[in-house]
Amino acid sequence: MPADSRDMPPVRLLPDADLARLALAAPLFDRAVRLARWAAPQVAVDAAAELVEAELLRAAAELGIADDPDGLPETTEAWAFAVDTGLVDVELADAGPADDPHVPGADPGTPAGTAVPGGTLEVVGAGDPAAVLGLWRTGFESALAEAASAGLADLFGDADPDGEPDRDADEPAWNPGEEAAFLDGALANLYLLTALEESAARRSTAPAGPVPAAAGSPLPGTAPGAQAVPLPVLAASMVVPDDMDVPTDAVLEEVSEAMMRLDDHFRLLADTGLVDYQPVDDALIEEDTADEEEPAVPDELDEEEVSRYGMVRLTPLGVLGVRERLRAAGVTAPVVGDLAGEDAATLLAALVSYPEDAAFDEAERWLADREPRVAAGELLAAARGTGTGAPARRLACQQTLSRLDIRAEPALREVLGDRELGGLARVWLVERGASDVPAPDESMVFWLTVDTLAAQLDVDDDAELLADLVRDLVARHDGFFDAAWRVDHPDTAAVLEAVGRLHPDRSVAKEARKAAFKARSAG
């Protein structure tokens, strides 16, 4: 995954014990464990550490899928998972223990060694969650590598005697590295969509009706509230430029091609427990294959039609696995609760970029083990300042303080005379019915107004919501602009310019721009 990917929103992880149970229940892991136990006392393998034909048939029967058309391939995948994770130990006759049993050019099917139950099978029996998750991650990484290299035979045909793919010169080169990067990018985008969807779902109240599939919908058999992303949406996130409002025909064709590549990958990865996946309807593929085209998504589809083009979501295991890959690539991928032991400055600096529900949970956990008065004092001290991002930190401070009860009152009264903090302290005290709260003077009122607008402009990119806020604050104060341009706040001019852009009344917007000019001239 590219290290320059954008930082990710925070996610929630299930406890290790719950994740380990999910890992053991994943079809591929479950089959691999069953085959490892079945391998006692030993079974014959070829030079590539794969089961010889007779043993493969017995293994498929052991799994109860011998009569399934996909039974033998699924058995082969499960055996590979067992080998990769050490659930079985392989010893080749001439080479000793096989650290890398996939021998190029080996003659498959010829007995070349034996496999026995491996040492990590004891880990499964012991039930240590961290150890089980370690095995799952090892198998997951191998499955990802396999998914990126899958299709070589279909694209290139058989290999020549030197092991090179046998293909025509004008056929496109298959680059496993590029395909791995494509798959990593898709998983990173799916992780981002999952985190944002989780936050949106937690913010929303009970829905008035069914959720449209285009915005995410439950897959059959998933947990209540689990949201799936339509495959065309994920493919578009990989292909369509951010600044392109209406995709061209050429870009739409790229989206269709990306969608089918993702369909191939997710079909292979579904049994790992990484994703819940509803594949592209085979009927669509057959229809378009006849025309030698990729299935194209029409402009308008209802919920049932959208689902025919594939639906995917990261499972809780998938969130864990992809997050670790993101972090290994240098991407910031926080988990709600990470900041509980950090200082107030670190907390506020992070909360300014958190979605509302995640910020609420993170603040609750930070406050849980702190005495209210002490916590309030630390937050207020961290909120001071006039540098970049200071208004947003004060907004995060105000939102975090709102979780505290009246026991924090002494800390708030201590800052009533502070120009930067006195306004928010008064708001907090009045909301809790505190007595003898001195009224702020006009300069403090306008300083707090400018600071609040500066904070919202910094953390919110919703133009409609910002316009509503601007209209409300301007209407609340008589002679707003005449007083506002005089406010000694580092963001005064920028705030007034934003009011000029966002206010729906042209005459008011013009007045705001004049006030911004005065503020810059005075500065």
Side-chain angles (χ1 to χ4, degrees), residues 212-238:
S217 63
L219 280 175
T222 60
Q227 299 299 306
V229 177
L231 199 60
V233 172
L234 180 59
S237 75
M238 301 286 295

Side-chain angles (χ1 to χ4, degrees), residues 1-6 8 140-149 175-193 234 237-238 258 261-262 265-266 269 274-275 314 318 321-331:
M1 293 184 177
D4 60 350
S5 298
R6 62 164 290 178
M8 294 293 174
F140 154 66
E141 293 290 342
S142 297
L144 276 183
E146 181 66 24
S149 62
N175 188 323
E178 289 181 4
E179 198 63 21
F182 171 80
L183 180 53
D184 269 343
L187 291 174
N189 283 14
L190 184 57
Y191 183 96
L192 174 61
L193 292 170
L234 180 59
S237 75
M238 301 286 295
R261 289 167 71 185
L262 292 173
H265 290 316
F266 290 144
L269 292 173
L274 177 78
V275 293
L314 280 181
V322 176
R323 175 178 178 265
E324 293 194 355
R325 289 178 65 81
L326 287 166
R327 295 178 68 202
V331 179

Side-chain angles (χ1 to χ4, degrees), residues 480-492:
F480 177 83
F481 295 113
D482 186 52
W485 74 264
R486 306 173 194 272
V487 174
D488 182 20
H489 189 292
D491 295 313
T492 295

Side-chain angles (χ1 to χ4, degrees), residues 190-516:
L190 184 57
Y191 183 96
L192 174 61
L193 292 170
T194 299
L196 295 176
E197 182 62 39
E198 178 188 84
S199 293
R202 285 176 174 265
R203 283 197 304 270
S204 64
T205 57
V211 179
S217 63
L219 280 175
T222 60
Q227 299 299 306
V229 177
L231 199 60
V233 172
L234 180 59
S237 75
M238 301 286 295
V239 173
V240 180
D242 292 337
D243 58 354
M244 180 177 286
D245 295 328
V246 180
T248 63
D249 289 343
V251 169
L252 289 175
E253 184 176 343
E254 290 183 45
V255 170
S256 295
E257 292 174 355
M259 186 178 72
M260 296 313 300
R261 289 167 71 185
L262 292 173
D263 181 65
D264 288 340
H265 290 316
F266 290 144
R267 286 175 188 257
L268 289 171
L269 292 173
D271 280 354
T272 66
L274 177 78
V275 293
D276 285 324
Y277 185 52
Q278 178 177 318
V280 176
D281 189 336
D282 288 338
L284 290 174
I285 299 175
E286 292 169 3
E287 291 169 9
D288 288 276
T289 300
D291 299 327
E292 298 184 351
E293 297 178 356
E294 305 288 359
V297 183
D299 293 336
E300 296 185 8
L301 292 170
D302 62 28
E303 181 173 348
E304 182 178 353
E305 289 172 325
V306 166
S307 67
R308 294 186 66 199
Y309 289 84
M311 303 287 288
V312 63
R313 78 165 184 113
L314 280 181
T315 66
L317 268 179
V319 172
L320 172 73
V322 176
R323 175 178 178 265
E324 293 194 355
R325 289 178 65 81
L326 287 166
R327 295 178 68 202
V331 179
T332 301
V335 169
V336 173
D338 279 351
L339 302 176
E342 300 292 342
D343 59 28
T346 302
L347 175 74
L348 296 184
L351 293 189
V352 298
S353 63
Y354 275 29
E356 182 181 347
D357 69 297
F360 181 93
D361 285 358
E362 193 70 67
E364 286 280 318
R365 299 185 191 206
W366 189 88
L367 293 169
D369 296 325
R370 289 172 169 82
E371 196 274 322
R373 178 174 179 173
V374 173
E378 293 176 359
L379 289 167
L380 290 165
R384 284 192 176 91
T386 57
T388 302
R393 290 199 306 276
R394 278 186 285 277
L395 178 61
C397 173
Q398 185 175 13
Q399 292 168 338
T400 304
L401 287 170
S402 69
R403 279 75 165 159
L404 293 176
D405 58 31
I406 201 65
R407 290 175 294 170
E409 180 178 356
L412 275 298
R413 287 192 178 275
E414 288 175 5
V415 300
L416 285 174
D418 189 302
R419 183 179 63 167
E420 296 177 4
L421 305 175
L424 67 85
R426 283 170 170 79
V427 171
W428 189 94
L429 289 166
V430 169
E431 286 178 345
R432 281 153 185 78
S435 59
D436 302 325
V437 180
D441 59 29
E442 186 178 76
S443 64
M444 181 175 285
V445 170
F446 278 95
W447 198 96
L448 178 60
T449 301
V450 170
D451 199 57
T452 299
L453 278 171
Q456 292 290 354
L457 290 168
D458 192 25
V459 303
D460 203 331
D461 59 0
D462 188 322
E464 185 175 346
L465 289 177
L466 289 173
D468 289 342
L469 176 65
V470 163
R471 184 171 53 236
D472 177 64
L473 287 175
V474 171
R476 191 183 300 173
H477 303 288
D478 293 333
F480 177 83
F481 295 113
D482 186 52
W485 74 264
R486 306 173 194 272
V487 174
D488 182 20
H489 189 292
D491 295 313
T492 295
V495 164
L496 291 171
E497 288 169 350
V499 173
R501 291 193 309 272
L502 295 168
H503 203 287
D505 187 309
R506 290 187 178 182
S507 62
V508 175
K510 183 176 180 180
E511 191 177 354
R513 290 192 292 272
K514 288 182 179 179

